[in-house]
Amino acid sequence: PADADLEIGEPMIRNFEPKEYGGHLQVLSINQDHRGVVYFGTTNTISEFDGHRWRRVKLANSPAVRSLSTDTTGRIFVGSVDEIGTLAIDPDGGTIYSSLEEEIPADHRSFKAVWNTFSTSHGVYYVASNKTLRWYNNQMTALPFGFRFSAKAKDKIYLYVSGSISELYNGKLTP
């Protein structure tokens, strides 16, 4: 058709309104699983989009989903406010949230907002302002440092600490 030439070089963009995806206007995190399903963490839920329809995934204890990360197996890890967990697909194809709260040492269960969640070969790190939780080999450990400014490049995590950058690897911080 004659209109086809008008679309060359222009990306096909479709905006979705919060009422369409059932979430809050503010999207705090985005991640995609191995099936191509995209997850959006908002201040009141996780909204899941498979390319055709939207679904909501509820968290048990905290509505604000600040960070999402996928590991090499396709498992999605969720960082919220005083709440961390995973997403899994049930036998009917629906997504369910499972909390990791019981795995956290009792004296470390208050950590406020998890600003970043990173999946690496040396564990999944939930980075909050006052501590970092590490999930590795089905065991949770609490690290005595937390940071709001952090990033991952390849398999390494970098944190902004006291005016300089440090690397977090295998549970240890190195300037």
Side-chain angles (χ1 to χ4, degrees):
D3 293 357
D5 291 337
L6 298 176
E7 293 184 16
I8 294 175
E10 294 181 17
M12 302 229 358
I13 296 174
R14 162 84 161 82
N15 292 316
F16 294 94
E17 297 292 325
K19 65 182 176 186
E20 291 178 87
Y21 58 81
H24 190 269
L25 175 66
Q26 187 177 24
V27 175
L28 304 167
S29 56
I30 302 171
N31 212 298
Q32 186 174 24
D33 72 9
H34 63 284
R35 302 171 301 158
V37 175
V38 183
Y39 300 86
F40 299 85
T42 70
T43 58
N44 66 348
T45 191
I46 295 174
S47 295
E48 169 188 278
F49 186 61
D50 65 6
H52 299 289
R53 67 181 169 275
W54 290 93
R55 287 184 248 181
R56 293 179 67 181
V57 181
K58 286 295 218 176
L59 274 65
N61 300 320
S62 177
V65 177
R66 299 218 179 264
S67 59
L68 298 165
S69 181
T70 307
D71 70 5
T72 56
T73 68
R75 190 172 182 191
I76 294 183
F77 296 86
V78 179
S80 188
V81 178
D82 283 331
E83 176 68 31
I84 60 172
T86 64
L87 297 180
I89 308 305
D90 68 20
D92 297 326
T95 305
I96 54 172
Y97 173 79
S98 298
S99 176
L100 288 173
E101 181 180 14
E102 293 300 317
E103 305 298 331
I104 303 170
D107 54 335
H108 292 282
R109 290 188 181 160
S110 177
F111 44 84
K112 307 280 186 236
V114 175
W115 296 104
N116 287 298
T117 301
F118 300 114
S119 301
T120 70
S121 63
H122 46 97
V124 175
Y125 293 85
Y126 294 95
V127 183
S129 297
N130 62 341
K131 70 183 69 174
T132 298
L133 299 169
R134 179 181 181 225
W135 179 246
Y136 185 65
N137 287 335
N138 292 323
Q139 184 176 5
M140 188 72 68
T141 54
L143 307 173
F145 41 80
F147 306 94
R148 181 136 182 217
F149 303 109
S150 55
K152 178 183 165 191
K154 297 194 179 185
D155 200 41
K156 297 180 179 184
I157 298 172
Y158 298 96
L159 307 166
Y160 181 73
V161 183
S162 303
S164 65
I165 296 175
S166 293
E167 180 183 336
L168 177 59
Y169 182 80
N170 215 17
K172 296 185 176 21
L173 201 58
T174 306

